[in-house]
Amino acid sequence: MHPHDQTIFALSSGPLPSAIAIVRLSGSHAGTALQSFAGKMPAARMATHALLRDGNGQPIDDAVVLWFPGPASATGEDVAELHVHGSRAVVAAVFSDLSAMPQMRTAEPGEFTRRAFENGKIDLTEAEGLDDLIHADTDRQRQQALRQLKGLLGDKARRWRDQIIEASALIEAGIDFADEGDVPTELMAPALSRIGQLLVEIESVLSAQGRAERLRDGLTVVIAGPPNAGKSTLMNQLVRREVAIVSPHAGTTRDIIEVQLDLDGYPVTVIDTAGIRETDDPVEQEGVRRARDRAARADLVLWLSDDDRAGVERQGDAPVWLVRNKIDRGPDGPEGVTPSRTESPVLRISARTGTGMVELLEALVSFARDYFGSIESGLITRERQRQLLQQTAEALRRSLAAIDLGEEVMAEELRIAALALGRLLGRVDVEDLLDVIFRQFCIGK
Ligand SMILES: Nc1nc2c(c(=O)[nH]1)N(C=O)[C@@H](CNc1ccc(C(=O)N[C@@H](CCC(=O)O)C(=O)O)cc1)CN2
Ligand SMILES: Nc1nc2c(ncn2[C@@H]2O[C@H](COP(=O)(O)OP(=O)(O)OP(=O)(O)O)[C@@H](O)[C@H]2O)c(=O)[nH]1
Ligand SMILES: [Mg+2]
């Protein structure tokens, strides 16, 4: 039996208990199931109040139900939704009844979206956008994901692909024409200029990109420095919670402590680490090793010190900001002396009183803004998409360069370009990829 002959169901809302839980069904038996629960078919796409009953006619719950007959549904199949009270018992009763129905089974993660994709409701870039939208924590992540979900990249890719196919039709028409001699320039010239324009457009999308891909994961800022500098105090200030233990004892923090922060819509992971120093204590040594390792992989290191003469220990090649802490104590070296081995900018704060925190936060937001680049124009959100666009551009470039090698070579490169765009849209041989992409989705999506 083809898997699509089966109707799938899942809890599409969050963890139970909840105020309301949504059980979603998709497939040809969704309507029968809905009819058997509600005792009637609600009007299409109208929220309808209904008492749900089990197979023995016993009431399960007072609910709201929805009916989306295919193909005008999110998946393209018949879809039914039961909006029930979000208790474990109600959902268990609904599930147990559903499981007893023929050709009905629970959905795999992402299976609703996969069916929407396979029924041509969305392309692969839109499915990726949907997945990102569900996992978006900050406003900028949400905006980026929504652009993708709305098909901005997919629409462009489709248009590019059509143009490539057109250009290649012109060239191939030329090939048939020119049994002897060259392809007429009336055919070649428009094809060449079209390919040239396309290449410029694709390259500008590739380069306007900044680091929009990184917006999905966020920026990693590591607080490092000598013991007792006030790293954990700064961490607590930044996240406005007592996440890390603070004490006057040098060597308090041993483990890495990570907290997610929303900095003006940019997702930032702030990491507190053990104070870096030589030590005989094996536990602290391990802490120092982890601190160095984490700092080496950071996007930005805040090197904290409570001493104007402190030097920075560089890890990896992330930029390092020297942050002078405890300025509430007054200078403990000659005032205004620029430390010898510092790297700019030098920020002066008191993590204890909060002095200088506004400036530090502003500096971090502006760093994030530069780091992520012009996300507003960024259309690429994944390495997969970037690689395929690069392959497209390279094939177009080779096609233009092949002008002296003959039309067949040009047309072949254009086919490669169109194929790469087809893969981007998920329309060409991507079966194995689909498994990987959709498996990462939530159940019920
Ligand atoms: N209750 C509920 N809320 C939800 C969803 C859902 O499935 N159920 N969604 C689930 O992802 C999202 C909305 N996405 C949707 C996408 C398409 C259609 C739909 O019926 N499309 C038809 C009709 C076109 C139209 O009128 O918009 C179609 O595409 O043919 C519905 C929801 C978010 N909120
Ligand atoms: N006066 C003053 N004291 C501070 C400031 N920031 C931190 N302290 C104090 O400095 C001591 C060490 O602070 P922590 O935040 O634990 O320092 P740490 O860098 O995390 O230390 P380790 O985890 O041991 O590496 C504590 O007693 C803090 O209260 C500050 O801005 N001003
Ligand atoms: Mg600490």
Side-chain angles (χ1 to χ4, degrees):
M1 184 180 18
H2 191 266
H4 283 201
D5 296 343
Q6 294 196 307
T7 297
I8 53 172
F9 67 92
L11 179 65
S12 287
S13 52
L16 301 175
S18 58
I20 295 166
I22 302 179
V23 177
R24 192 155 60 143
L25 293 77
S26 180
S28 52
H29 304 281
T32 325
L34 180 56
Q35 165 88 53
S36 104
F37 277 119
K40 59 181 174 191
M41 269 327 257
R45 313 173 68 82
M46 297 287 283
T48 305
H49 189 190
L51 179 70
L52 305 188
R53 294 177 183 277
D54 68 16
N56 302 320
Q58 295 304 305
I60 300 178
D61 188 24
D62 193 30
V64 165
V65 295
L66 281 166
W67 169 235
F68 300 92
S73 70
T75 61
E77 304 176 327
D78 287 351
V79 169
E81 291 185 358
L82 312 174
H83 295 212
V84 297
H85 289 103
S87 74
R88 291 192 182 86
V90 167
V91 172
V94 170
F95 267 43
S96 124
D97 234 52
L98 282 169
S99 306
M101 297 180 188
Q103 326 232 349
M104 188 74 78
R105 63 168 171 80
T106 54
E108 313 275 342
E111 199 171 2
F112 288 91
T113 314
R114 182 166 188 155
R115 288 187 175 194
F117 166 76
E118 283 172 358
N119 292 324
K121 285 280 164 181
I122 54 173
D123 67 40
L124 200 50
T125 67
E126 289 166 319
E128 286 168 334
L130 190 65
D131 184 43
D132 288 347
L133 186 59
I134 288 165
H135 293 107
D137 289 322
T138 74
D139 211 46
R140 284 175 208 272
Q141 286 177 318
R142 178 186 62 73
Q143 290 168 15
Q144 172 173 286
L146 192 60
R147 274 197 296 277
Q148 189 112 136
L149 172 60
K150 286 285 152 217
L152 256 60
L153 177 63
D155 290 347
K156 269 202 161 54
R158 253 183 303 277
R159 193 164 47 75
W160 291 334
R161 189 163 173 239
D162 291 347
Q163 291 177 355
I164 291 173
I165 290 168
E166 252 174 69
S168 115
L170 285 177
I171 290 174
E172 280 174 23
I175 297 173
D176 298 336
F177 254 95
D179 286 340
E180 273 112 78
D182 289 335
V183 172
T185 46
E186 313 89 82
L187 286 171
M188 280 304 272
L192 287 179
S193 84
R194 195 161 301 175
I195 300 167
Q197 278 166 20
L198 234 110
L199 185 56
V200 169
E201 210 180 318
I202 294 176
E203 277 173 339
S204 86
V205 167
L206 278 166
S207 66
Q209 198 43 41
R211 293 185 224 194
E213 289 150 272
R214 295 294 315 273
L215 192 57
R216 293 177 58 230
D217 311 325
L219 181 71
T220 309
V221 177
V222 168
I223 307 172
N228 227 26
K231 299 180 296 299
S232 301
T233 311
L234 174 59
M235 172 78 160
N236 294 344
Q237 268 280 358
L238 283 172
V239 307
R240 295 169 197 281
R241 277 192 288 142
E242 301 297 311
V243 287
I245 300 170
V246 165
S247 93
H249 169 77
T252 301
T253 306
R254 302 295 179 86
D255 275 328
I256 302 276
I257 301 173
E258 300 200 16
V259 178
Q260 309 292 330
L261 210 60
D262 176 342
L263 260 190
D264 201 27
Y266 296 107
V268 174
T269 305
V270 185
I271 300 174
D272 181 25
T273 60
I276 292 176
R277 66 168 171 185
E278 294 310 314
T279 167
D280 294 330
D281 178 345
V283 180
E284 194 179 349
Q285 276 171 3
E286 175 59 16
V288 171
R289 192 193 65 73
R290 290 181 188 198
R292 288 202 166 108
D293 174 62
R294 207 63 196 81
R297 291 182 289 120
D299 298 310
L300 173 67
V301 175
L302 301 182
W303 186 270
L304 203 63
S305 79
D306 57 1
D307 168 357
D308 272 333
R309 288 166 300 277
V312 169
E313 187 187 301
R314 230 170 196 294
Q315 321 284 340
D317 37 38
V320 179
W321 291 358
L322 185 73
V323 182
R324 164 69 156 88
N325 189 28
K326 306 194 188 178
I327 57 167
D328 56 298
R329 287 191 322 198
D332 58 10
E335 182 81 74
V337 168
T338 313
S340 50
R341 281 146 53 216
T342 59
E343 320 211 356
S344 60
V346 181
L347 289 144
R348 301 172 67 79
I349 63 165
S350 167
R352 181 183 278 177
T353 66
T355 310
M357 288 305 294
V358 172
E359 289 77 7
L360 175 59
L361 282 168
E362 273 171 6
L364 285 173
V365 168
S366 114
F367 180 84
R369 196 177 298 128
D370 292 348
Y371 181 89
F372 288 117
S374 54
I375 293 165
E376 277 61 39
S377 63
L379 288 179
I380 304 167
T381 57
R382 295 179 187 229
E383 184 60 22
R384 183 189 83 82
Q385 301 165 353
R386 166 176 299 283
Q387 280 178 7
L388 287 166
L389 273 195
Q390 266 159 358
Q391 286 173 24
T392 310
E394 279 157 23
L396 291 180
R397 229 174 278 129
R398 285 195 306 269
S399 169
L400 287 175
I403 181 131
D404 297 329
L405 298 175
E407 294 72 35
E408 280 87 353
V409 183
M410 292 187 74
E412 174 58 21
E413 294 297 352
L414 291 182
R415 263 192 293 279
I416 293 172
L419 189 69
L421 289 175
R423 289 206 174 100
L424 178 65
L425 292 164
R427 289 287 161 244
V428 203
D429 58 47
V430 284
E431 271 311 307
D432 42 345
L433 192 90
L434 294 183
D435 286 336
V436 176
I437 291 177
F438 289 107
R439 250 203 318 271
Q440 295 163 357
F441 277 59
C442 307
I443 303 248
K445 238 312 160 191

